[in-house]
């Protein structure tokens, strides 16, 4: 019945013939295939073998002629004899038998036999290394000895690639092919440094071994190892060829010199096969050796009219300028800059032009001593570049100051807001007292506009010596205690009555804070009340649909399709919108801005609920931040014996903070674990119905990416309060 079984396990139901190999079981099927199964595989695994035809990448399956049957097996030669339906005999070499034999040879370190078989049967030569990387690297000298010729080594090196063919091209089918010894050594595969990669590690290892064994014999292989690295070292390979050519030139008229010349020409021709001729010519030019450049150009297909005029012009130049011209031609601007800096001051304008065109300011500054004319000119150019191209005024000022260019450093520091450095520069320039005062007032005005009132007051006090204006600036910024310190430092107690007390008590401070707290409280209550109405309307509509025979999800989709569209377009941070945001490369901050632009507090708007959440969150955070401003003001009110005003302000803010803290759980309710319908084998009709009938707190689930869907975190600090004002 064509059934092949091992005990109780059925291996194949369409077997027509079979034979036993020391490591494999081979059989043919009615589907005209030859299958090879390892005897190391568990018997239970054989029952799971596919009964179909060959699989992609499966070396254990091979198509055979219809009606073929196995007659004999030659294990030592990996040959299988098949009898055709016509009666004739044919011999084949199944790939599974070949791979099995190659593995045995590699385990026995018989690299010669494995290499010849793999080359003949077109098995990827990477398997020589991938079969057991540690064994190959430990016995790399034995591999070179058995390789016999440099051509075999070159063939192996040219096929190298960063891929484990033992797992990709020749995988172990069904987890069996490797014997226990090899499987044990597979754990040591990370022996080769992963940072350099397989190709680099093998090329470097082979090159070191060949140089130690016989560098003349493996000369072409050493060149191959250099140019086959992931970062081809073509220049070193050319240096090797040049060394051989120089030996030939030194021994002119000798038989050895002719051999060396022949080897140099042969090596150069070989390199042209491995490397593009244009790349090889440029690399030779980068060695600054014109003899080597001519050798490469003559061996390539270049027209002499293309390179001879350029080379003749280069030969007329001074050495450093010649190398600069070559590096500039090859776009190696860093090296070009180094050589041009050695050409003397006459070439400095050309160097400055190169630095400006290629933005090599940092590299150029390292080449000249600090304080020299060249260093000063480069610093000035670098500072202008930072100011005009990068808009980095602070760094530009530092570059100017380092080169003692104080006239340029002062406006750079001043415009960047670095007032301390600007004053230092003004002192270096010898500004008189009047000019220094004018500069201080100018910078103080800019700092006050940037809400840096304490720093502005420092300038007015110390440099403009205008104590009253400094106190006024501090009161405008709410720096009450600093204003008190300044008043008493200069014994200007009159400023308490004329400036500080009016600013504290009147609308400038106390009045503004009380009005601001009350406005925030009213707006907060209005938004919270409206949010409750919106959620109640949605819940009522959902229950009405459920009563009419609809379902919960359908109610959401049908009633709020507009809201769903807003959610999918980015308001709710859905998966679709998040993926689009990532594709567009926008930052999370920009995504939040874009989401807020789509929000609308208009009643009945599809995005009204998230807009209310966003507004309530902003108010909560603003109220929490207000305590930092109110705390110092309360201390001033108590100091000046204005307890009633202080009690009023502290009571208003404390009440609002308490209301906000109590409202947060209502606005952002914690997710209930029983809110989602419960399905599964343990659920009943009643439990599912109960879960569906539970009211939903909000249709916008908290915890999503958008900031307004997450409850704000309050500091809950009471340090701003005063017990005397309770």
């Amino acid at each position: 019945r064509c059934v092949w079984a091992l005990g109780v396990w059925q291996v194949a139901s369409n077997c027509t013939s079979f034979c036993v190999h020391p490591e494999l079981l081979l059989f043919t099927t009615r589907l005209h295939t030859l299958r090879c199964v390892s005897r190391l595989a568990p018997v239970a695994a054989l029952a799971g073998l596919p009964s179909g035809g060959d699989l992609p990448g499966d070396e254990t399956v091979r198509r055979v002629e219809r009606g073929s049957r196995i007659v004999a097996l030659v294990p030592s030669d990996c040959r299988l004899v098949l009898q055709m339906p016509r009666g004739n005999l044919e011999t084949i070499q199944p790939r599974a038998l070949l791979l099995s034999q190659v593995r045995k040879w590699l385990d026995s370190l018989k690299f010669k036999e494995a290499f010849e078989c793999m080359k003949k049967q077109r098995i990827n030569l990477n398997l020589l290394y991938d079969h057991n990387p540690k064994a190959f690297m430990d016995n790399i000298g034995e591999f070179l000895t058995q390789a016999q010729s440099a051509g075999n080594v070159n063939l192996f090196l040219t096929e190298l690639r960063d891929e484990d063919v033992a797992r990709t091209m020749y995988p172990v089918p069904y987890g069996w092919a490797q014997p226990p010894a090899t499987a044990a050594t597979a754990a040591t595969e990370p022996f080769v440094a992963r940072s350099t990669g397989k190709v680099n590690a093998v090329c470097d290892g082979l090159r070191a071994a060949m140089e130690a064994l016989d560098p003349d014999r493996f000369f072409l292989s050493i060149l191959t190892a250099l140019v086959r690295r992931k970062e081809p070292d073509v220049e070193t390979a050319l240096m090797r060829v040049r060394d051989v050519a120089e030996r030939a030139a030194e021994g002119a008229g000798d038989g050895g010199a002719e051999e060396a010349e022949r080897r140099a020409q042969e090596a150069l021709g070989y390199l042209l096969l491995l490397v593009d001729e244009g790349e090889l010519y440029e690399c030779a030019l980068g060695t600054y050796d014109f003899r080597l450049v001519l050798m490469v150009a003559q061996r390539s297909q270049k027209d002499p009219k293309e390179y001879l005029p350029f080379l003749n012009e280069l030969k007329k130049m001074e050495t450093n300028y010649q190398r600069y011209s070559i590096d500039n031609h090859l776009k190696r601007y860093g090296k070009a800059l180094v050589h041009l800096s050695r050409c003397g001051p006459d070439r400095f304008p050309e160097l400055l032009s190169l630095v400006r065109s290629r933005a090599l300011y940092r590299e150029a500054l390292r080449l000249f001593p600090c304080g020299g004319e060249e260093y000063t000119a480069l610093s000035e150019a670098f500072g202008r570049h930072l100011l005009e191209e990068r808009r980095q005024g602070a760094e530009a000022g530092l570059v100017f100051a380092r080169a003692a260019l104080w006239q340029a450093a002062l406006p750079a520091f001043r415009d960047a807001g670095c007032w301390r450095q600007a004053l230092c520069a003004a002192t270096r320039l010898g500004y008189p007292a009047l000019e220094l005062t004018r500069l201080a007032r100018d910078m103080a005005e800019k700092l006050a506009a940037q809400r840096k009132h304490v720093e502005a007051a420092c300038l007015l006090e110390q440099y403009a010596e205008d104590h009253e204006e400094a106190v006024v600036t501090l009161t405008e910024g709410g720096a009450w205690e600093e204003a008190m310190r300044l008043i008493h430092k200069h014994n200007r107690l009159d400023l308490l009555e004329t400036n500080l007390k009016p600013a504290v008590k009147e609308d400038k401070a106390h009045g503004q804070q009380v009005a601001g707290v009350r406005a925030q409280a009213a707006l907060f209550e209005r938004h919270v009340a409206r949010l409750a109405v919106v959620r109640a309307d949605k819940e009522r509509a959902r229950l009405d649909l459920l009563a009419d025979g609809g379902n919960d999800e359908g109610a959401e989709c049908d009633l709020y399709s507009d809201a769903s569209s807003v959610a999918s377009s980015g308001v709710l941070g859905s998966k679709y919108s998040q993926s689009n945001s990532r594709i567009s490369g926008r930052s999370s901050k920009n995504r939040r801005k874009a989401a807020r632009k789509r929000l609308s507090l208009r009643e009945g708007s599809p995005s009204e609920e998230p807009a209310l959440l966003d507004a309530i969150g902003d108010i909560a955070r603003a109220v929490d931040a207000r305590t930092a401003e109110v705390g110092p003001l309360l201390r001033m009110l108590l100091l000046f014996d204005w307890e009633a005003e202080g009690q009023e302000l502290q009571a208003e803010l404390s009440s609002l903070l308490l209301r906000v803290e109590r409202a947060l759980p209502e606005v952002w309710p914690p997710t209930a674990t029983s809110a989602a319908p419960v399905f599964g084998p343990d659920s009943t009709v009643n439990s599912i119905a109960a879960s569906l009938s539970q009211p939903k707190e909000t249709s916008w689930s908290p915890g999503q990416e958008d900031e307004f869907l997450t409850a704000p975190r309050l500091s809950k600090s009471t340090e701003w309060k005063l017990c005397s004002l309770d």
Side-chain angles (χ1 to χ4, degrees):
R1 292 182 298 174
C2 300
V3 175
W4 185 29
L6 295 176
V8 297
W9 302 100
Q10 178 178 308
V11 178
S13 60
N14 56 359
C15 177
T16 57
S17 62
F18 73 94
C19 69
V20 179
H21 180 269
E23 295 181 6
L24 302 168
L25 299 175
L26 298 92
F27 62 94
T28 56
T29 68
R30 286 182 173 178
L31 296 175
H32 325 304
T33 59
L34 170 68
R35 301 193 64 88
C36 308
V37 181
S38 173
R39 295 177 61 179
L40 298 175
V43 178
L46 299 180
L49 290 177
S51 58
D54 56 331
L55 303 176
D58 190 355
E59 298 291 351
T60 66
V61 183
R62 172 174 174 159
R63 290 280 185 178
V64 293
E65 189 175 338
R66 179 188 297 270
S68 301
R69 293 177 180 270
I70 298 175
V71 175
L73 173 67
V74 186
S76 60
D77 200 22
C78 303
R79 296 181 183 274
L80 184 69
V81 181
L82 298 177
Q83 184 176 14
M84 303 296 109
R86 300 180 299 278
N88 58 310
L89 300 178
E90 290 188 6
T91 302
I92 63 173
Q93 290 181 295
R95 185 57 63 96
L97 287 177
L98 291 170
L99 291 175
S100 174
Q101 184 60 46
V102 166
R103 291 187 180 102
K104 290 172 61 177
W105 280 329
L106 292 177
D107 289 336
S108 303
L109 301 180
K110 296 181 178 179
F111 295 109
K112 177 183 176 182
E113 292 81 354
F115 186 90
E116 294 297 334
C117 177
M118 294 168 71
K119 185 169 65 170
K120 181 179 179 181
Q121 299 295 336
R122 296 187 177 181
I123 298 174
N124 195 293
L125 295 178
N126 281 268
L127 191 61
L128 289 168
Y129 170 86
D130 293 330
H131 174 71
N132 191 334
K134 185 177 187 305
F136 181 86
M137 297 301 290
D138 288 345
N139 298 277
I140 205 166
E142 183 65 23
F143 168 75
L144 291 173
T145 302
Q146 295 186 29
Q148 293 184 339
S149 69
N152 289 337
V153 179
N154 293 342
L155 182 61
F156 170 66
L157 286 170
T158 51
E159 283 201 22
L160 278 178
R161 61 178 183 230
D162 280 331
E163 176 188 349
D164 187 355
V165 299
R167 297 181 182 178
T168 56
M169 296 182 66
Y170 310 114
V172 181
Y174 317 114
W176 47 258
Q178 292 186 357
T182 307
T185 56
T188 63
E189 182 173 341
F191 164 78
V192 179
R194 295 180 180 178
S195 60
T196 57
K198 166 187 164 183
V199 173
N200 286 353
V202 174
C203 287
D204 293 344
L206 279 172
R207 180 164 60 90
M210 288 185 291
E211 289 176 346
L213 191 62
D214 191 346
D216 292 334
R217 175 188 169 193
F218 293 106
F219 180 62
L220 294 182
S221 300
I222 292 173
L223 299 182
T224 308
L226 287 168
V227 300
R228 282 291 299 158
R229 300 182 86 257
K230 296 302 290 184
E231 304 82 18
D233 194 356
V234 182
E235 186 171 342
T236 304
L238 282 172
M239 291 295 103
R240 300 262 182 162
V241 176
R242 185 188 65 179
D243 293 342
V244 174
E246 287 178 353
R247 268 183 288 173
E250 290 173 0
D254 189 4
E258 294 179 1
E259 177 63 20
E261 180 65 24
R262 185 193 63 78
R263 289 183 61 211
Q265 293 297 330
E266 179 186 3
L268 202 54
Y270 181 70
L271 281 178
L272 285 168
L273 295 176
L274 298 176
V275 185
D276 178 73
E277 67 174 29
E279 180 183 352
L280 193 64
Y281 172 78
E282 290 186 352
C283 196
L285 187 61
T287 63
Y288 316 116
D289 188 337
F290 292 101
R291 186 170 182 272
L292 183 60
V293 175
L294 286 173
M295 287 176 58
V296 173
Q298 290 169 359
R299 290 285 300 187
S300 65
Q301 303 298 321
K302 283 184 172 293
D303 186 351
K305 294 180 181 179
E306 296 179 9
Y307 59 86
L308 282 180
F310 178 61
L311 294 180
N312 291 332
E313 184 180 355
L314 289 174
K315 290 180 180 179
K316 300 176 184 177
M317 299 177 182
E318 185 267 334
T319 303
N320 287 316
Y321 193 74
Q322 177 191 91
R323 294 187 175 185
Y324 153 72
S325 302
I326 291 174
D327 290 326
N328 195 38
H329 173 76
L330 298 177
K331 298 181 180 180
R332 303 189 305 191
Y333 300 113
K335 290 186 176 181
L337 181 66
V338 173
H339 289 121
L340 188 56
S341 66
R342 299 170 181 170
C343 293
D346 294 340
R347 297 289 184 181
F348 183 75
E350 190 171 353
L351 182 143
L352 192 57
S353 175
L354 174 66
V355 168
R356 284 172 174 164
S357 62
R358 301 300 170 184
L360 297 172
Y361 298 100
R362 295 175 181 84
E363 295 83 351
L365 287 171
R366 298 190 191 104
L367 299 175
F368 295 95
C370 184
E373 294 182 5
E374 295 86 355
Y375 189 90
T376 303
L378 287 170
S379 296
E380 184 177 5
F382 188 23
R384 299 299 175 194
H385 170 75
L386 291 172
L387 280 175
E388 299 168 4
E389 304 293 334
R390 301 287 188 87
R391 300 288 187 261
Q392 296 176 357
E395 187 177 352
L398 292 173
V399 171
F400 288 138
R402 184 177 60 179
L405 297 170
W406 302 109
Q407 198 69 42
L410 176 57
F413 285 133
R414 182 192 59 206
D415 296 340
C418 302
W419 59 274
R420 295 177 181 86
Q421 295 286 356
L423 291 171
C424 294
T427 304
R428 291 295 190 106
L429 290 171
Y431 267 32
L434 185 61
E435 291 294 327
L436 203 59
T437 300
R438 187 180 295 111
L439 175 64
R441 288 186 178 277
D442 181 43
M443 291 190 293
E445 183 179 352
K446 292 181 179 179
L447 289 171
Q450 299 171 5
R451 302 189 63 82
K452 297 179 180 179
H453 296 88
V454 176
E455 297 181 28
C458 180
L459 281 170
L460 292 171
E461 177 210 1
Q462 297 181 9
Y463 290 90
E465 297 183 359
D466 190 343
H467 306 147
E468 183 175 357
E469 187 66 25
V471 171
V472 171
T473 302
L474 290 171
T475 57
E476 289 177 351
W480 312 111
E481 295 177 337
E482 180 64 17
M484 282 283 293
R485 186 194 68 82
L486 205 60
I487 288 172
H488 287 82
K489 175 185 176 182
H490 298 285
N491 197 22
R492 289 294 305 274
L493 299 182
D494 58 303
L495 297 179
L496 285 174
E497 303 296 333
T498 59
N499 296 94
L500 186 58
K501 286 185 178 181
V504 170
K505 188 176 181 180
E506 295 177 1
D507 292 342
K508 291 184 179 179
H510 168 263
Q512 283 184 356
Q513 289 291 349
V514 172
V517 171
R518 289 174 179 172
Q520 285 178 329
L523 190 60
F524 184 79
E525 293 294 346
R526 184 164 70 250
H527 286 336
V528 171
R530 178 58 191 169
L531 181 64
V533 171
V534 170
R535 288 176 174 174
D537 290 346
K538 289 186 177 181
E539 182 63 20
R540 191 180 304 111
R542 185 183 70 85
L543 293 177
D544 290 344
L545 281 183
L546 287 175
D548 292 339
N551 60 72
D552 189 33
E553 298 299 328
E556 286 287 335
C557 295
D558 295 337
L559 277 181
Y560 306 108
S561 59
D562 290 341
S564 299
S565 346
V566 173
S568 64
S569 66
V571 174
L572 295 182
S574 64
K575 292 181 180 178
Y576 177 78
S577 64
Q578 290 173 18
S579 64
N580 279 348
S581 298
R582 283 191 293 269
I583 291 173
S584 64
R586 296 190 301 176
S587 66
S588 58
K589 182 178 179 181
N590 290 336
R591 287 200 301 272
R592 288 195 296 270
K593 285 184 179 179
R596 282 194 171 94
K597 286 181 180 178
R598 300 187 183 96
L599 302 181
S600 173
L601 286 171
R602 180 175 53 85
E603 293 189 8
S605 169
S607 61
E608 184 181 7
E609 183 176 354
L612 287 169
L613 289 173
D614 184 33
I616 293 171
D618 286 344
I619 294 174
R621 283 184 284 269
V623 171
D624 190 51
R626 187 181 285 273
T627 59
E629 303 175 11
V630 170
L633 180 59
L634 290 176
R635 291 192 286 272
M636 289 295 103
L637 290 171
L638 180 62
L639 178 66
F640 295 141
D641 198 21
W642 292 326
E643 291 191 17
E645 290 81 357
Q647 288 174 351
E648 178 188 20
L649 178 56
Q650 183 166 302
E652 292 279 355
L653 185 56
S654 298
S655 175
L656 179 55
L657 281 170
L658 183 61
R659 176 68 184 99
V660 169
E661 186 176 347
R662 290 178 177 176
L664 290 185
E666 302 173 7
V667 177
W668 288 276
T671 304
T673 55
S674 58
V678 179
F679 300 99
D682 297 329
S683 62
T684 63
V685 174
N686 293 333
S687 66
I688 296 174
S691 65
L692 287 172
S693 63
Q694 287 181 355
K696 292 184 178 179
E697 296 294 339
T698 175
S699 60
W700 316 97
S701 59
Q704 299 188 31
E705 180 184 359
D706 300 283
E707 185 179 347
F708 54 84
L709 295 178
T710 306
R713 295 182 180 180
L714 304 181
S715 62
K716 299 181 181 180
S717 173
T718 59
E719 295 181 358
W720 64 276
K721 286 187 175 182
L722 296 178
C723 297
S724 302
L725 299 179
D726 284 339

